[in-house]
Amino acid sequence: GADVVLPDWQPLFLSALHPAYILRGGDGEGPDAPGGEGGRSVDLQFFFLVYDLGKAWRLANGLARPWVDNCDLFLVHQGKLHRATTDLVTGKPIVGDEATPGEFIEAMQLVEREAHARGAFSCDVETDAKDSLDANLTAIAFATVDGGLSATWAAFQLVPEALDVARALLASGLDKQFWNRIYDCIVLPRHSLPVAHPISDGMLLHHAAFPGLPHRLDAVGQQFLCVTAWKSEYRKSTRNEPELLLYNYKDAHGTILIPEPLRDVVERHKTTRVYEADRQIAGIAQHMREFGYWVDRKEQARQSTIQHARLDYMRASLERDFAAIEETWRDRLARNLAVYQRKKDPDEFM
């Protein structure tokens, strides 16, 4: 019951699932499972534990560094341009001092210079709707591995020179990193911000590296980076404009940091061609989403009949094959489980 005495050198703590929790089977695998697991299987929980341990090892050996919010945040408050800053008491973003248009332009130009020096940058948008064809911009973030900027759409409209820098950056020949490009690359051109190639998609890259894992940006971020679950933190916040801007920046910064370790995994798994194929298909899907596509209803019905027949055949085959081994399988499973002593079993349970 005594308090844990922490060392005076202020170590960084990383949270992880307790191994005993995983061994007990967690809280189930359904979508409504308690504990916020959202249907994670035991195998998946173990997978994340291994990555948490690897992340702690890399941090201890200087191969990783804690997340730092190195960013400029701009918004319009009471008709004037302001910065967003951090409250020293609560640690949460709040409306800060008034800013000049020159400061906004200079911050945007700094990101532009860093992007040209690195050869790549990331972009993330916040909107007021899920449908990319109807959504209105509320904030845009640009980031490099060095840091970045997030500003409300109202701030960009108030300072058109900063918007011109953003437009030039998106039209440049630099590699542009998005997380789910199909959404962002439809919303931006609708607001007179066309996006030129090359375009990369971190979500597709993660799918090529880990096709069975969830592809939510903050979940992937915690897999590789020393960062908190910023999306969950934002959902539990008041969601005011300063908090939105910091959330938007973290999305953009995570989008530019994550691909480097993902590319290493893709190369080891030899799925680079999978990613390239997905990237090209995403371009087609984006075009289809913007302009629609023609569907031959007769061919659609024919394909549906063929695919349902295949599913029925596979289902019947699996049920037949399993029936042949079911009794033996259940007997062996019961015997394997019976050799393990559980918490409430007496010492002489065997």
Side-chain angles (χ1 to χ4, degrees):
D3 293 336
V4 177
V5 179
L6 298 179
D8 56 8
W9 48 275
Q10 296 182 335
L12 178 69
F13 288 93
L14 301 176
S15 62
L17 292 173
H18 196 288
Y21 170 80
I22 300 174
L23 290 172
R24 289 196 300 269
D27 288 318
E29 300 181 15
D32 300 322
E37 288 305 310
R40 286 184 184 175
S41 67
V42 174
D43 290 344
L44 188 55
Q45 292 169 10
F46 175 75
F47 185 90
F48 274 98
L49 173 63
V50 171
Y51 264 82
D52 286 337
L53 295 174
K55 185 166 54 179
W57 184 88
R58 294 198 312 274
L59 184 66
N61 287 274
L63 301 177
R65 60 181 182 178
W67 178 286
V68 177
D69 293 321
N70 181 25
C71 58
D72 292 291
L73 310 175
F74 295 93
L75 71 158
V76 176
H77 180 65
Q78 296 180 348
K80 295 183 178 180
L81 185 68
H82 282 255
R83 287 181 178 270
T85 187
T86 302
D87 188 301
L88 296 179
V89 177
T90 64
K92 295 181 179 180
I94 58 172
V95 177
D97 296 334
E98 189 172 339
T100 65
E103 291 175 5
F104 187 12
I105 297 168
E106 183 179 349
M108 194 67 230
Q109 289 174 337
L110 174 60
V111 175
E112 183 184 35
R113 290 195 299 272
E114 291 173 347
H116 280 279
R118 297 284 186 174
F121 68 94
S122 63
C123 179
D124 183 77
V125 304
E126 302 299 331
T127 66
D128 59 3
K130 292 183 178 180
D131 189 340
S132 56
L133 296 176
D134 297 324
N136 298 305
L137 275 174
T138 57
I140 315 176
F142 296 91
T144 67
V145 295
D146 304 299
L149 170 149
S150 175
T152 61
W153 181 237
F156 274 109
Q157 291 180 305
L158 187 65
V159 186
E161 293 86 352
L163 184 61
D164 290 339
V165 178
R167 184 178 292 110
L169 198 53
L170 290 168
S172 70
L174 300 174
D175 183 26
K176 300 157 195 72
Q177 299 277 349
F178 290 91
W179 198 269
N180 188 17
R181 58 168 283 190
I182 294 178
Y183 186 89
D184 295 30
C185 291
I186 290 177
V187 172
L188 287 167
R190 289 183 46 245
H191 292 78
S192 301
L193 293 168
V195 183
H197 288 277
I199 300 172
S200 300
D201 192 323
M203 181 183 292
L204 296 179
L205 192 62
H206 188 257
H207 181 268
F210 303 100
L213 293 186
H215 305 304
R216 299 189 316 276
L217 180 55
D218 62 336
V220 179
Q222 291 177 85
Q223 185 179 346
F224 292 102
L225 309 174
C226 301
V227 63
T228 59
W230 70 86
K231 287 185 177 291
S232 298
E233 291 174 349
Y234 176 70
R235 294 188 192 102
K236 296 176 182 178
S237 70
T238 59
R239 302 192 184 190
N240 57 33
E241 279 196 332
E243 289 172 336
L244 173 69
L245 290 177
L246 182 59
Y247 166 79
N248 184 212
Y249 162 74
K250 287 189 173 183
D251 275 357
H253 197 47
T255 298
I256 195 67
L257 292 178
I258 292 170
E260 182 179 357
L262 282 181
R263 289 192 186 97
D264 292 339
V265 176
V266 167
E267 289 179 4
R268 290 201 304 270
H269 291 179
K270 299 180 180 180
T271 54
T272 302
R273 293 181 64 184
V274 173
Y275 168 66
E276 290 300 331
D278 285 346
R279 196 160 66 96
Q280 294 181 41
I281 292 172
I284 297 171
Q286 177 185 328
H287 185 84
M288 293 165 63
R289 183 72 185 91
E290 288 180 288
F291 303 104
Y293 57 96
W294 183 78
V295 176
D296 185 328
R297 294 299 181 186
K298 291 183 178 179
E299 178 62 18
Q300 185 184 42
R302 188 181 77 85
Q303 290 292 338
S304 177
T305 301
I306 293 173
Q307 297 304 327
H308 277 89
R310 288 174 175 171
L311 287 172
D312 292 341
Y313 169 77
M314 293 168 64
R315 186 181 296 109
S317 298
L318 285 172
E319 290 174 352
R320 183 186 64 251
D321 293 343
F322 181 68
I325 65 169
E326 182 176 7
E327 185 175 353
T328 304
W329 174 79
R330 292 189 183 279
D331 180 70
R332 289 184 179 178
L333 178 63
R335 290 177 181 275
N336 288 337
L337 293 177
V339 300
Y340 295 102
Q341 183 180 11
R342 290 162 176 77
K343 280 188 174 181
K344 295 183 180 180
D345 290 337
D347 291 338
E348 62 276 7
F349 80 107
M350 289 299 289

